[in-house]
Amino acid sequence: MSFEEDDRVVLHDEHSEFDGETGTVSQTMESMFGDVTYTISFEDGQETGVPEDALEAAADADEDEE
């Protein structure tokens, strides 16, 4: 599954301080090998170079926490 800018996603990366947090795709980048990585913005910062397999679509919530 690929993601677009402004999609809400959950990051799954045990080496990241944002592991398990929900953020927003702020940028997509394609390498010269055709691999896509993402920049994800969180409330307290951002994570760059995130591979697609470390993300999952966030469940739509009726309540907005922001």
Side-chain angles (χ1 to χ4, degrees):
M1 166 181 225
S2 62
F3 299 99
E4 302 290 326
E5 286 187 26
D6 298 325
D7 283 354
R8 302 272 299 153
V9 294
V10 178
L11 177 64
H12 296 288
D13 180 354
E14 64 184 38
H15 302 291
S16 171
E17 65 182 285
F18 301 109
D19 183 37
E21 292 190 28
T22 300
T24 304
V25 176
S26 59
Q27 185 177 13
T28 61
M29 296 151 286
E30 187 172 340
S31 75
M32 62 185 187
F33 303 109
D35 299 323
V36 177
T37 60
Y38 301 90
T39 298
I40 312 300
S41 294
F42 298 95
E43 195 171 301
D44 297 329
Q46 70 179 14
E47 189 78 28
T48 60
V50 178
E52 190 174 306
D53 63 355
L55 300 172
E56 80 174 272
D60 292 333
D62 291 334
E63 299 173 15
D64 220 347
E65 295 179 353
E66 295 178 39

